[in-house]
Each structure stands twice: as C-alpha cells, then as structure tokens.
C-alpha cells in the first residue's frame, strides 16, 4: 500500500544528462579528497616512512575491526583556506572490538602535525559528535602542538579541547590517548586528560617544555627521554598506563583497552533490513544540473529507505514538502523532503505538526534539502508566511529527537534553517556534490545588490547613465560569480558547514551508519517545551 512507485526513466536524455553532470562533480570531489589523502605530500610522507612510522590513516586502519566501515568526517576541512586540505588531522567513526568509537589522528606529515585554526574546528566538531552520541574516543597523537604562526587564532579557543576531553570523561564516556610521537606543551594535556594512555617506546615525547625551553626557563640541562619519554612516563611519572614496544603494539593495546570498557549501546541493533526496491545507483540521475528545475524527492526516498516503503503524511496538503514515515536500515525515521523548492504557509504548518508527532513517538527525523526558501510576495506576507515559517523553525529548534540533514540540491535562505541546517544542530549533516547553499541564489543576490545600489545613487541625486549601467553590470557579474563559488559544497565543507560531501549512491549506507551511531545515546522526544507557536 505504501510502496513508492518510480517515474524515473533511465533511458531518457534527462536522466543521462543529470548522471553525467553528477559524475563530473564526483570526479572533481575525488581530486580534492586525494589532496587530503596525500597529507603533507611525497617528501614528508617519505621521510615519515623512513623513520619507520605509520601514516595517520594506516594507524586508523590497524585500529579498527577488519572489513568494517570507517565513516570519515570533514575530510575537506580547510578547503579554500591557506592551509592544506584535511587540516592536518583525520577524524571519523569506526568499530573497535565491535564498539563504535570516535577516532582522531594527527597527520604528522603536515607541518609536523601542528594544529591550525581549521584543525581546531575539525577536532571540536569531532568531539561534539562524540559527546552528543556518547561514543568512546580514541586519539592517535603525534603533533607539533599549535601551528605557531597562527597561534593568535588558536591559543585561546584551543583550550576547550582539553575541557571537552575531561567533560566526556565526567559524562562517563571513555577517552583513550595513544601517543606515537610529539605531544608537547598544550598537547601534553591530551594524554593528561584522557582516561587511558598508551605510549610508544622511544617515540612518544610528552613534556610541558622540551630541553631548550627548560634550559631557558630554569637553566637545567635535560634530554628528551628523561623529560617526556614513554619509559619515563610508564615507570616514573605514571602518566602512561601502558608501554608499547612499537606502533603496532600500541594499536593492539588500544583495542584491548576498548574491549575491556564494558561499553553498551543505549539501544540494541535492529535486525537486518530489506534493501530499497530500486537501484541506489540511479540516485546519480535524479538531481538536474540546473537546480531551477524541480525534481521529485520521492525518487530519492525510494532509493534510500527500507523496501522503498514510505507512508506519506498529509500527501494532499502542503504538497511542496513531502513528509512521511519510513525505516532506514531498520531504524524508524520521519522524513521531510522539499518537493517543489519553495516553502509556503501550508508546508510550514505541516512540517511543524509532523515534527511534533515525531517527538511524541521518539522517532528521529531526516531532512532532505532542495529548497529556495520561504515564499515571498504580498499575498504570502499577508497570509502570514513569517509566522508560519517561524512555527516550523520553532518546531525544529525545540525538537529533541535526533536530526539528520542531507543537502541534495538547493538549501537557500531561511529554508536552510527550517530544514535543520547546520546552525540547528543536526547530529550529522552531509551534502551531495549537487548541493548549493547561501542566503539566496547568486543571480537574486547580485540583482538585489544592484537595485539597492541604484536606489542609493538616486537618493544622492547621481544619474544612472550608460557608464553607471556598465559598472552595474560588471558588479553584478562579479558578485554573481563570488556567491556561486561560495555556495558550492567544497567551499562549505572546507568551512566545516557540513560533515562531508558524499556520493549520492552512499547515502543509505552513510545514514544507516549515522543512525547506528545515534543509538549509542538514549534520547526522548519533546513532549512539550516548544516555544510559543504564533498561530
Ligand atoms: N608550527 C608551525 N610549523 C611547524 C610546527 C609548529 N608548531 N612544527 C613543525 N612545523 C613545520 C616545520 O617548520 C617544518 O616546516 P618546513 O619543512 O617547511 O621547514 C615542518 O613543519 C616539519 O617539521 P620538522 O621539524 O622538519 O619535522 P619533524 O618531524 O622532524 O619534527 C616536531 C616535528 C613537531 C617534533 C618539531 O617540528 C617541533 O618540535 N616543532 C615545534 C613544537 C613546539 O614546540 N610546538 C609548540 C607547542 S604549543
């Protein structure tokens, strides 16, 4: 009865064009991901290997259970900034001895693994995810501490890193540090704050000040090992709980520590679920290259939910937003998906009601974005679009069930907020390569700027002659280009406005992993506690 049908014609020219455009964007994405994988580049990678050390991702691979997925987070952090893509750190969620753990690993091939402003943002986001979902965390440490030239951006806010570790510990969420190399000055507080500490013999260096600093401060002569070597910390200071013979041994010991955490998820895993009836590969051909052309999000839902079974709520009302119940990898979800781009009053009220229902039933919500925002114009303002949009934003803000967001296409204006954009704290937010997000579309924004500039010139009594028109056209083109580039997923991902840009074909798997992660922590929907709904 509630099985979705499909109208997608995989033999049509439209499908082929959409698919070709999406594959081209995926190629661009792969090239950027390759930069993150390359870390500090060949020279530093080679040097690192010659020292007999494993790379950050190799350490993670040896830490997690064989043949299990690793959900990497924020791989494009720092994209478009002055710092290397990836932000000198790898973060993600992996299974260790069957336990879903948050894992962070410094990349010592990028400026000695030093933390720059984007590393900090990436680490903070990882901690936030770990804390919200009650994931034990494992920190694979080898870092030159603060990236000294950017210290003004990181020294003061960076202190929160240590606060987060101890707050996790206080909340009963285990923290494990494995020290492979340098972990000095502020970095020494990573092992200092963790519940469990493993250090690699003759490699770990954990001190507040190295030999030159000690000499400067007190005149004392000292060496690395006696100041902060693994043996010293294991035998004398007691900072290290376990001494590892080498890197492999350290990772083995980390797995042993996790196996003894006696960690239990808040909820049992659901039994294996039925896959969608339609091919997930077809998700490549749904979103048009030109986002002005609408597409039916039910075609997407049909390819990500269990058995393509979607029980639509209010299908005849507020039809520009599809809402309904489904399950994904066995977890119940309420789905809100933009169907025709614009959100009107009816859609907003329907969303608010749907979100309340999900809260009454303790069902997580999935937001699938393709919206140009709330409808503007005389008729709509007079019809109360602001108060109805506010109603939806109120419901999203005060909802207490976990939220997941996927930006498939447009995510503009307050529509981004109502659909649980980044500032509304979805547990996870991913974007497809086809996504675009900004305060409004580039053409509209450039047009608005131009009208405002002309009105301002007219108010000053300046003429709008040919020369002014030419300057106006040039400005519009420039602004349009700038906004276009700032709306693209790689730019937004670089700024940590999402948790990653994913291949549409991986959506079901990624959301399934997220739902599994979410069910580590108990949650309860809001039974009341919403703000005043303006009727
Ligand atoms: N800030 C900025 N750049 C740093 C850095 C830091 N904290 N640590 C290292 N780098 C840079 C180096 O200048 C070098 O750049 P270059 O290759 O362009 O010359 C590159 O990263 C690699 O460093 P290098 O010293 O060659 O690597 P290493 O593996 O032999 O040693 C460290 C790594 C971390 C042990 C060493 O660089 C070091 O002691 N750094 C300073 C640590 C420190 O005191 N930090 C302040 C803590 S708050």
């Amino acid at each position: 009865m509630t099985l979705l049908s499909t109208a997608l014609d995989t033999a049509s020219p439209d499908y082929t064009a959409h698919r070709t455009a999406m594959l081209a964007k995926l190629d661009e994405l792969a090239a950027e991901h390759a930069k993150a994988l390359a870390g500090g580049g060949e020279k530093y990678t080679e040097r690192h290997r010659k020292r007999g050390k494993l790379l950050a991702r190799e350490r993670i691979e040896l830490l997690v259970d064989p043949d299990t997925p690793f959900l990497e987070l924020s791989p494009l952090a720092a994209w478009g900034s002055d710092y290397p893509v990836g932000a000198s750190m790898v973060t993600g969620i992996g299974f260790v001895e069957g336990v879903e753990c948050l894992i962070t690993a410094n990349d010592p091939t990028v400026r000695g693994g030093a933390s720059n402003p984007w590393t900090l943002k990436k680490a903070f986001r990882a901690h936030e995810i770990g804390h919200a979902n009650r994931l034990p965390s494992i920190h694979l440490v080898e870092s030159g501490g603060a990236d000294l030239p950017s210290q003004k951006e990181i020294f003061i806010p960076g202190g929160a890193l240590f606060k987060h570790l101890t707050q996790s510990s206080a909340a009963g969420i285990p923290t494990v540090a494995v020290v492979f190399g340098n972990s000095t000055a502020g970095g020494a507080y990573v092992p200092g704050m963790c519940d469990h500490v493993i250090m690699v013999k003759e490699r770990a260096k954990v001190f507040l000040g190295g030999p030159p600093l000690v000499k400067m401060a007190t005149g004392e002569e000292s060496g690395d090992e006696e100041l902060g070597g693994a043996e010293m910390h294991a035998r004398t200071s007691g900072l290290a709980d376990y001494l590892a013979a080498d890197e492999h041994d350290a990772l083995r010991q980390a797995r042993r520590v996790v196996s003894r955490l006696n960690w239990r998820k808040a909820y049992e895993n659901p039994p294996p679920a039925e896959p969608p009836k339609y091919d997930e590969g077809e998700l490549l051909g749904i979103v048009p290259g030109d986002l002005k052309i609408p597409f039916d999000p039910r075609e997407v839902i049909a390819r990500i939910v269990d058995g393509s079974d979607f029980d639509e709520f209010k299908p005849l009302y507020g039809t520009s937003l599809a809402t309904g119940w489904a399950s994904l990898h066995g977890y119940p979800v309420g789905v809100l998906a933009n169907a025709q781009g614009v959100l009107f009053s009816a859609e907003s009220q329907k969303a608010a009601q749907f979100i309340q229902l999900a809260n009454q039933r303790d069902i997580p919500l999935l937001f699938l974005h393709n919206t140009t925002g709330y409808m503007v114009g005389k008729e709509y303002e007079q019809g109360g679009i602001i108060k109805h949009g506010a109603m939806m934003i109120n419901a999203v803000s005060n909802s207490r069930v976990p939220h997941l967001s996927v930006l498939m296409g447009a995510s503009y204006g307050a529509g981004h907020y109502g659909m649980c954009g980044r500032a509304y704290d979805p547990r996870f937010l991913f974007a497809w390569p086809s996504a675009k997000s900004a305060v409004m579309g580039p053409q509209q924004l450039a047009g608005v700027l131009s009208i405002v500039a002309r009105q301002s010139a007219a108010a000053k009594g300046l003429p709008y002659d040919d020369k002014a028109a030419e300057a106006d056209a040039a400005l519009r083109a420039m602004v349009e280009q700038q906004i276009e580039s700032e709306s693209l997923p790689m730019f937004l991902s670089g700024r940590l406005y999402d948790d990653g840009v994913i291949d549409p074909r991986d959506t079901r798997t990624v959301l399934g992993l997220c739902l599994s992660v979410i069910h580590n922590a108990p949650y309860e929907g809001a039974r009341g506690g919403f703000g005043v709904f303006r009727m």
Side-chain angles (χ1 to χ4, degrees), residues 142-180:
E142 179 164 18
S143 163
D147 177 84
L148 293 171
S150 60
Q151 69 84 27
K152 71 175 191 302
E153 311 279 352
I154 49 176
F155 166 59
I156 289 175
L161 207 67
F162 317 123
K163 180 182 73 178
H164 294 155
L165 285 172
T166 188
Q167 285 175 335
S168 281
S169 177
I173 307 170
T175 50
V176 182
V178 189
V179 187
F180 292 90

Side-chain angles (χ1 to χ4, degrees), residues 43-44 47-48 51 53 108-115 142-151 154-155 181-187 205 207-210 213:
K43 175 179 147 198
Y44 292 98
R47 190 177 74 167
H48 190 71
R51 291 170 171 174
K53 291 185 162 200
T109 67
V110 184
R111 287 169 84 91
S115 296
E142 179 164 18
S143 163
D147 177 84
L148 293 171
S150 60
Q151 69 84 27
I154 49 176
F155 166 59
N182 226 59
S183 180
T184 63
K205 274 186 210 168
F207 34 60
L208 289 184
L213 192 143

Side-chain angles (χ1 to χ4, degrees), residues 332-356:
V333 283
V335 183
L336 297 95
N338 303 111
Q340 279 130 33
V342 185
L343 290 160
F344 298 89
S345 287
E347 282 72 11
S348 310
Q349 295 178 79
K350 171 168 142 177
Q353 186 187 354
F354 187 69
I355 292 167
Q356 283 186 301

Side-chain angles (χ1 to χ4, degrees), residues 18-50:
H18 302 165
R19 188 171 181 278
T20 308
M22 186 67 91
L23 285 172
K25 289 192 179 112
L26 282 170
D27 279 348
E28 285 171 30
L29 182 66
E32 299 309 315
H33 280 154
K35 288 183 191 164
L37 289 177
E42 219 166 298
K43 175 179 147 198
Y44 292 98
T45 303
E46 198 54 31
R47 190 177 74 167
H48 190 71
R49 283 199 190 288
K50 279 215 179 94

Side-chain angles (χ1 to χ4, degrees), residues 51 58 98 208 268 362 366 389 460 477:
R51 291 170 171 174
E58 292 170 343
L208 289 184
E268 277 183 29
D362 299 329
L366 167 63
K460 287 181 203 137

